[in-house]
Amino acid sequence: DAMVIQNPRYQVTQFGKPVTLSCSQTLNHNVMYWYQQKSSQAPKLLFHYYDKDFNNEADTPDNFQSRRPNTSFCFLDIRSPGLGDAAMYLCATSRSGSAAIQYFGAGTRLSVL
Amino acid sequence: GDSVTQMEGPVTLSEEAFLTINCTYTATGYPSLFWYVQYPGEGLQLLLKATKADDKGSNKGFEATYRKETTSFHLEKGSVQVSDSAVYFCALSDPQGGSEKLVFGKGTKLTVNP
């Protein structure tokens, strides 16, 4: 059974039209992460939540926001998608602590027309 | 900042061949090291990890040893199978405040032919 679920698997949006990607988990992990992965590149961390504490990476554009209403759910909001935001978006979860394993969802592939 | 450099792909091997995927890292502290694998159409999943120098991680016939002196964590398997075809990511963790940030290499695509 899938433990980290991302919806939808494929998302098409228009240039400048807000879009929300969702992630849910059944692992009861207190840390949740959002990564952006462009073609043939490494996943790049956008931000993460440690419980309710939001931690933004210094180079994450303001266009990207996130919400975590409860332990199980986390959302990625892209306020005004540009063509450069087309990518695979990966959600992951982990327990806290040294060398914790991250568990990934299957990802959402975002296309911007 | 921390970084991971891994062997450029793609790598194509015949079944039962020996596999090595090189990975080196740069880190200011004492990171933990990981190999994650991404099978087609799926998310990343942990293959193996090592948390301190000279540790060897192993799983499903894959092995990697944490070499602090050479800052390396090369992935090896003695005899690959078609089912090992996937993208392999080397990564290090950067512990801060109880949560783990992963820094990934670019990934190496492995194709194993029958």
Side-chain angles (χ1 to χ4, degrees), chain B residues 66-110:
Chain B
Y66 190 145
R67 300 287 187 200
K68 191 169 185 292
E69 64 276 13
T70 54
T71 62
S72 65
F73 193 55
H74 304 320
L75 182 67
E76 296 183 336
K77 186 174 186 182
S79 177
V80 293
Q81 305 300 312
V82 172
S83 57
D84 294 327
S85 298
V87 181
Y88 292 81
F89 292 93
C90 185
L92 66 80
S93 70
D94 176 16
Q96 54 173 302
S99 58
E100 297 287 326
K101 294 175 58 174
L102 282 175
V103 176
F104 286 94
K106 288 190 173 182
T108 302
K109 184 176 181 179
L110 170 66

Side-chain angles (χ1 to χ4, degrees), chain A residues 28-101:
Chain A
N28 204 34
H29 286 166
N30 58 331
V31 190
M32 294 188 77
Y33 309 80
W34 279 105
Y35 292 87
Q36 180 192 63
Q37 185 180 23
K38 295 189 175 180
S39 180
S40 301
Q41 295 185 22
K44 178 181 176 299
L45 183 65
L46 295 173
F47 25 60
H48 72 281
Y49 277 93
Y50 182 79
D51 292 322
K52 294 183 179 180
D53 293 334
F54 178 70
N55 298 273
N56 199 31
E57 292 301 296
D59 56 354
T60 298
D62 292 341
N63 197 26
F64 291 86
Q65 303 287 321
S66 185
R67 295 169 284 136
R68 188 179 186 186
N70 53 52
T71 301
S72 300
F73 286 88
C74 195
F75 300 97
L76 170 62
D77 300 309
I78 308 177
R79 294 192 298 187
S80 182
L83 298 179
D85 297 328
M88 176 74 83
Y89 290 88
L90 300 170
C91 174
T93 74
S94 76
R95 300 184 190 282
S96 58
S98 178
I101 298 166

Side-chain angles (χ1 to χ4, degrees), chain B residues 8-29:
Chain B
E8 294 282 335
V11 174
T12 302
L13 296 173
S14 297
E15 207 164 22
E16 299 184 2
F18 183 85
L19 169 71
T20 299
I21 301 178
N22 290 336
C23 172
T24 58
Y25 67 91
T26 303
T28 52

